[in-house]
Amino acid sequence: MFGVPHLRTEDPRFLRGQGRYLENIEIPGALRAVFVRSMMPHARLNGVDVAAAIAMPGVVAVYVAGDLAIASQPPAGNIDPSFRREALAREVVRFVGEPLAVVVAETFAQAEDAAELVWPDYDLLEAVTDPEAAERPGAPLLWPSAGSNVVHRFEHQWDVDPLAGADVVARGRFVNQRLAPASMETNGIAVVPEANGGVTVWVSTQVPFDVRSDVAEVLGLDKELVRTIAPDVGGGFGAKLYTYPEYLVVAKAAMALGRPVRWTETRSENLVNMTHGRAQVQTVEIGAKRDGTVTGIRVEILADMGAYPIGGYLPTTTQEMLSGVYRFPVAACRGRSVVTNTTPVNAYRGAGRPEATACIERAMDLVAAELGMDPVEIRRKNLIPSEAFPYTTSSGTTYDVGDYELSLNTCLELAGYVELRREQAERRARGDHVALGIGVCTYVEITAFASKEFGSVEVHADGTVTVVTGVSPQGQGHETAMAQIASAILGVPFEAVRVVHSDTGLVTRGAGTWGSRSLQVGGSAVVERAEAVVEQVRTLAAHLLEVDEADLVVVDGGFSPAGAPDRRLSWSQLASAAGDPGKVPDGMELGLRSAGSFREADSTFPFGTHIALVEVDTRTGQVDLLRHFAVDDCGRILNPLLVQGQVHGGLGQGIAQALFEEVVYDETGNPITGTFSTYLFPAATEFPRFTTANTETPTPLNPLGAKGIGESATIGSTPAIQNAAVDALAHLGIGHLDLPVSPARVMAAVRTATEKGRSVDTSDPPTRRS
């Protein structure tokens, strides 16, 4: 079963343009919904004039707040429930892009034209988009009744001094910038009323059962009457975990009109409406002894929740991981979450863990610089040793298993670290204006979050197998992985296995896909169900062959007595017999099927080391990533190709955060990165060659020994590249660069170094780099 690089069965249909995304679903007679969104970051909404819109050709209905009787949504986590969100803004709009009305028409063009004629009546209010400004006295309040924009406070070990006994202390302020998920497929939903009084929902989501529950609640229907299907989903990255207000509005409109209604975001809508990620400001102090032993770390987290605090769990997840891979005696943390007049912040590939790793790894480089130590050596000195697991950190988190030094050593060898440092020294000695930088990141992250998942396995009379799983893919290769498991355990051809998912009408229950949990939890459910079917078949075969169960062996897709392969019973023969009451032993249920859930007792903790090699042109500020080396440990590997695909995708998004992406608002609260012409991210042609490898440290928490991989490379790559850029300029006295490491930020730092008397060549660059 393990280590087999089976090609993804999903790929042929995608490569041939045969994927079925939401917009590919044909729904006869479906109306189109277009949402009217606030153009103001903060305003009192006195009313909405829809008269002209209703009179437009093809318009069937226009709805504003109150027309559809949708209850407001509460915040997430331990946050005051008064910070609720209306499906359509009622009295106040709090960010540019917030929906305040919806036009339903026969065609998209008609709905869009009519939406232009919906006129909100605003009284402008002062806006605040900066989280540090939002918590200051006198800041504009999003909820005046609350008296503050601070919606949540937390702390851990704050009364313990992490700097006691330290010989040196390094301090920093780090900004983990706001990002837009920018999934290839934007958000959308289609709701079709059915003759039985229920609805069929097609939705681009990671969690079809969650959407079913929320739609059923808003429509007042039993869940069984709401069939929810996630067709092929073109990327989610955590941003499609949320039940968006638009989903509920479309569902209510469809029921009110008795006709199918569908909605798909435009890209410009997507960039201001789909939840954003990251958005933390961290203030850090780290202490160490002269030999490099870290005495502890103190971190203050300021988390920007956007206009509605739906991602309240994110900063506390950051706190839980603030010890990283190190034996910090103290990891003191205090945090606050604030609301601002910006798009709400929620999960985005890593969801709190990338923020923790970026904080720790920058801090480790800062204290290494204070001590004059190599960044690798200070890391090695403070790593949790492999024999210490399971290990409870000073952040209060218990890690399952790890061998952090192995991944570090593997990556150092892969990169040729010693030789890279030698080349860097030679360049500096020559005074090259194109500086070489080497960045290291050793990370650990949390996956699965002690969750459970449904799975079932059934063998049919023709010898084929159906696997049903509660996980819901967005391109990860779940169909391939689940088929691979069932094929190996049952001893049937891979092609004989069909995998069913993402349809609440066909799947009993499911938690969906998030937290890099699908293989370790969903796959383990399939393992247990397949093994249960094997035991059923063993009992049946022993009965039919009149032998002891212990004497049976698996041979070529069936069972036979040991030493008598000519008496083999195939899976199709056994499945046929299992459906015949006259052929099964007493007490055995008819059919070869097993269904149930697997619950993982605790979270798992993948880890790894990344090394980035960059060039920084001190005359233009350009940062070029030359090579990236990644060694990630996700436990026992089922399919190396699936792992490599997840690593490459994760690297792409991690590199994008390090060098390109940032959501920016102007001083009045208007987004200035609302299109792909201003929101920068790299194309595949802008990536260097990735050199990847894996170590395998199986977890004892599931039968596969697997841990997550979907978010690991994103978590490890960003700090490695950021550290590399800073390292390239360290000889100029530059100690930190915030994300993204853009040419403008580099040049600002170089100018500051020049003003302080450092010798920096900033003359005009040649037309071609030598």
Side-chain angles (χ1 to χ4, degrees), residues 660-719:
F660 296 92
E661 295 191 41
E662 184 176 23
V663 173
V664 180
Y665 291 85
D666 68 18
E667 64 278 1
T668 63
N670 292 303
I672 59 177
T673 50
T675 71
F676 278 167
S677 64
T678 52
Y679 186 77
L680 304 182
F681 60 89
T685 53
E686 294 173 275
F687 292 137
R689 189 174 73 208
F690 301 147
T691 304
T692 64
N694 301 98
T695 58
E696 293 189 57
T697 312
T699 180
L701 295 176
N702 64 68
L704 289 167
K707 296 177 281 189
I709 189 61
E711 295 157 298
S712 294
T714 301
I715 293 166
S717 57
T718 303

Side-chain angles (χ1 to χ4, degrees), residues 731-756:
H731 64 296
L732 306 179
I734 295 170
H736 180 69
L737 294 165
D738 268 327
L739 298 167
V741 185
S742 63
R745 284 199 169 97
V746 170
M747 290 312 299
V750 169
R751 282 192 295 270
T752 300
T754 304
E755 291 165 4
K756 290 181 177 179

Side-chain angles (χ1 to χ4, degrees), residues 13 331 346 458 518 596 700 765:
R13 72 173 189 270
N346 205 358
E458 182 174 8
S518 297

Side-chain angles (χ1 to χ4, degrees), residues 91-103:
E91 297 177 350
V92 178
V93 291
R94 295 184 172 90
F95 69 98
V96 172
E98 181 169 10
L100 53 87
V102 63
V103 177

Side-chain angles (χ1 to χ4, degrees), residues 38-173:
S38 173
M39 297 176 66
M40 305 299 170
H42 198 194
R44 188 164 303 285
L45 189 60
N46 300 317
V48 182
D49 183 354
V50 301
I54 291 174
M56 287 289 286
V59 172
V60 177
V62 181
Y63 299 109
V64 297
D67 290 343
L68 295 173
I70 300 173
S72 58
Q73 294 176 302
N78 187 25
I79 292 176
D80 185 336
S82 62
F83 293 93
R84 303 178 72 89
R85 181 177 185 180
E86 300 285 351
L88 295 172
R90 187 181 298 269
E91 297 177 350
V92 178
V93 291
R94 295 184 172 90
F95 69 98
V96 172
E98 181 169 10
L100 53 87
V102 63
V103 177
V104 183
E106 297 290 345
T107 69
F108 173 76
Q110 290 171 331
E112 193 172 42
D113 287 345
E116 297 287 342
L117 299 179
V118 173
W119 294 101
D121 178 13
Y122 298 115
D123 284 337
L124 296 185
L125 299 171
E126 191 177 355
V128 60
T129 60
D130 180 87
E132 292 176 308
E135 67 171 347
R136 294 183 193 129
L141 298 179
L142 276 71
W143 274 268
S145 60
S148 171
N149 289 320
V150 179
V151 298
H152 182 220
R153 299 178 186 271
F154 60 94
E155 65 178 54
H156 175 80
Q157 288 189 331
W158 194 250
D159 57 346
V160 183
D161 184 6
L163 308 180
D167 296 318
V168 298
V169 175
R171 294 177 173 87
R173 175 186 174 276

Side-chain angles (χ1 to χ4, degrees), residues 242-529:
Y242 179 46
T243 298
Y244 285 83
E246 290 88 346
Y247 295 177
L248 308 181
V249 172
V250 170
K252 288 287 280 191
M255 288 296 279
L257 298 171
R259 290 184 62 180
V261 178
R262 65 192 306 166
W263 163 72
T264 298
E265 279 179 330
T266 64
R267 179 58 66 184
S268 56
E269 277 185 294
N270 174 264
L271 288 171
V272 297
N273 183 62
M274 180 173 274
T275 56
H276 291 167
R278 310 289 189 259
Q280 284 189 13
V281 180
Q282 303 157 340
T283 306
V284 183
E285 295 178 298
I286 184 169
K289 296 184 179 298
R290 290 287 175 196
D291 66 355
T293 303
V294 173
T295 61
I297 190 170
R298 179 189 286 139
V299 181
E300 279 206 71
I301 297 171
L302 180 61
D304 184 354
M305 292 285 99
Y308 297 96
I310 60 176
Y313 60 93
L314 296 171
T316 54
T317 302
T318 300
Q319 179 275 312
E320 290 170 4
M321 298 305 297
L322 276 178
S323 292
V325 295
Y326 306 113
R327 293 173 293 175
F328 291 163
V330 181
C333 180
R334 181 171 67 182
R336 301 171 304 288
S337 299
V338 298
V339 287
T340 60
N341 294 114
T342 58
T343 301
V345 172
N346 205 358
Y348 173 63
R349 203 165 191 165
R353 293 100 80 198
E355 298 90 318
T357 298
C359 176
I360 300 160
E361 292 302 290
R362 280 301 303 128
M364 290 298 281
D365 266 25
L366 287 181
V367 77
E370 287 288 334
L371 290 166
M373 289 184 71
D374 187 288
V376 167
E377 293 314 308
I378 195 168
R379 285 168 169 79
R380 190 190 304 280
K381 188 168 188 65
N382 290 279
L383 290 176
I384 301 166
S386 58
E387 65 271 15
F389 293 91
Y391 182 86
T392 300
T393 70
S394 53
S395 300
T397 305
T398 300
Y399 299 165
D400 54 344
V401 65
D403 193 340
Y404 304 150
E405 190 162 19
L406 175 62
S407 71
L408 175 61
N409 290 338
T410 304
C411 199
L412 292 171
E413 183 177 350
L414 199 67
Y417 183 77
V418 173
E419 181 56 38
L420 292 178
R421 285 294 179 197
R422 185 179 299 115
E423 181 184 350
Q424 182 186 55
E426 291 171 356
R427 287 198 186 195
R428 287 180 177 176
R430 291 196 304 264
D432 289 2
H433 70 269
V434 178
L436 190 69
I438 305 150
V440 181
C441 170
T442 48
Y443 75 91
V444 61
E445 69 133 333
I446 181 172
T447 62
F449 296 88
S451 56
K452 66 178 180 179
E453 192 51 87
F454 172 81
S456 73
V457 174
E458 182 174 8
V459 183
H460 306 289
D462 61 358
T464 61
V465 177
T466 298
V467 171
V468 179
T469 177
V471 301
S472 188
Q474 308 92 49
Q476 297 91 336
H478 293 169
E479 292 175 22
T480 303
M482 301 306 170
Q484 206 168 326
I485 291 168
S487 169
I489 293 175
L490 299 177
V492 300
F494 180 89
E495 296 73 20
V497 182
R498 181 175 74 103
V499 179
V500 176
H501 56 81
S502 307
D503 184 341
T504 67
L506 301 176
V507 182
T508 303
R509 56 187 177 274
T513 294
W514 45 268
S516 300
R517 64 187 289 276
S518 297
L519 180 65
Q520 59 183 306
V521 186
S524 291
V526 174
V527 169
E528 290 190 343
R529 294 311 105 205

Side-chain angles (χ1 to χ4, degrees), residues 614-625:
V614 305
E615 283 186 337
V616 181
D617 192 321
T618 59
R619 299 188 292 187
T620 65
Q622 178 66 30
V623 181
D624 291 323
L625 179 62

